[in-house]
Every structure is written in C-alpha cells, then in structure tokens.
Amino acid sequence: MKYSSSYRRESIVKLATNFARKQLISFGTCIGKFTKNGACRLHITALDFLAPYAKHKVWAKPGAEQSFMYGNHVLKSGLGRLTETTAANQGVVIHSMGDMPIGFGVAAKSAQNCQQADPMAIVCYHQADVGEYLRSETHLT
C-alpha cells in the first residue's frame, strides 16, 4: 500500500464532511509520497507551499532555466545566484532570474565550493520542476 502526504485547508476539510466517504474520491493537494523505507519523495505540487519558506535558493539563468525544466541538472555556467549559506547535499528551491519558483533539487556543492568549480560542473541536482505537470500528468494525481 502506498501512502501519500497531502495539504488540505481547514475550510476544504469542513466542506468535505458534507459528502459520504464512498462519494468522495480525494481532496486537497498531494505534496509527496512515502517510499517503502519511509522516506518522503516530494512532488512538484509541493512547490507552491515550499517556495515562500525556503532557506536555500538557487537562481538559474534563462538558458539553464529551460534546460532544468526539461529534467537536466543546473551547471555552474547556468547559475545566476546562490544563497551563501547553502551546504552540499542541502535541499534547495530553484528560481528563475525573475524570482519565480520553477522547481526543487539538491545542492551538489556548497556555496564556497561553487566559486572555484569548473563551468561544466553540476551545482544542483534536479529533483522536480514545473514541466513535470505536462510530462507526468497521470502520475501526479
């Protein structure tokens, strides 16, 4: 059995009580699913809830932004800015240079190591992006 985690506003929960359980298929926003070993795998649907509270952010240049939305990692050559306190293997939210969240991933290098890194070195590993809505529409429900 797969377990998922979802976000539900209290007002929606109160409205859902008007329906019988057999009539109600689902409600709320699925933000992730739990793996067999108990780890939570976040979906792109969680981006709107995570982005305002993210401590560590990566801003991608326009060319790298498009590449990221096709499922590729962010390279140093495509890095616009990076939060200075970002450590290696830290979860980050990727933003466009216009400060719009486009996905999330994991930092491959710390902010200090990025300064000396090769331009073709991976700075941020891809985890999820807004293009996933189109590529994996059937899996997100």
Side-chain angles (χ1 to χ4, degrees):
M1 180 175 197
K2 291 186 178 180
Y3 293 104
S4 64
S5 176
S6 61
Y7 170 78
R8 297 173 183 97
R9 286 194 326 234
E10 190 174 348
S11 60
I12 300 292
V13 173
K14 288 180 181 178
L15 290 172
T17 59
N18 295 327
F19 298 96
R21 281 188 178 219
K22 289 186 178 185
Q23 293 177 331
L24 190 63
I25 296 172
S26 69
F27 69 99
T29 303
C30 180
I31 60 172
K33 292 188 177 177
F34 290 97
T35 61
K36 291 179 182 177
N37 62 358
C40 184
R41 175 84 174 155
L42 292 175
H43 288 182
I44 191 61
T45 51
L47 183 63
D48 293 333
F49 303 106
L50 293 176
Y53 306 107
K55 292 181 182 179
H56 306 287
K57 300 177 184 181
V58 171
W59 286 268
K61 292 179 181 175
E65 176 183 329
Q66 184 176 7
S67 177
F68 180 78
M69 285 203 259
Y70 281 112
N72 298 317
H73 305 305
V74 178
L75 303 177
K76 181 171 187 260
S77 60
L79 182 66
R81 290 185 304 190
L82 175 70
T83 308
E84 291 186 17
T85 59
T86 304
N89 302 317
Q90 183 72 48
V92 294
V93 173
I94 291 87
H95 291 266
S96 65
M97 291 304 285
D99 215 23
M100 182 176 157
I102 59 172
F104 48 86
V106 177
K109 299 180 181 299
S110 66
Q112 289 77 23
N113 291 345
C114 286
Q115 295 171 354
Q116 295 91 16
D118 181 56
M120 296 308 291
I122 295 173
V123 173
C124 181
Y125 296 117
H126 178 275
Q127 190 170 15
D129 62 85
V130 292
E132 202 169 316
Y133 280 121
L134 300 175
R135 292 191 309 271
S136 304
E137 191 173 355
T138 57
H139 299 291
L140 292 175
T141 56

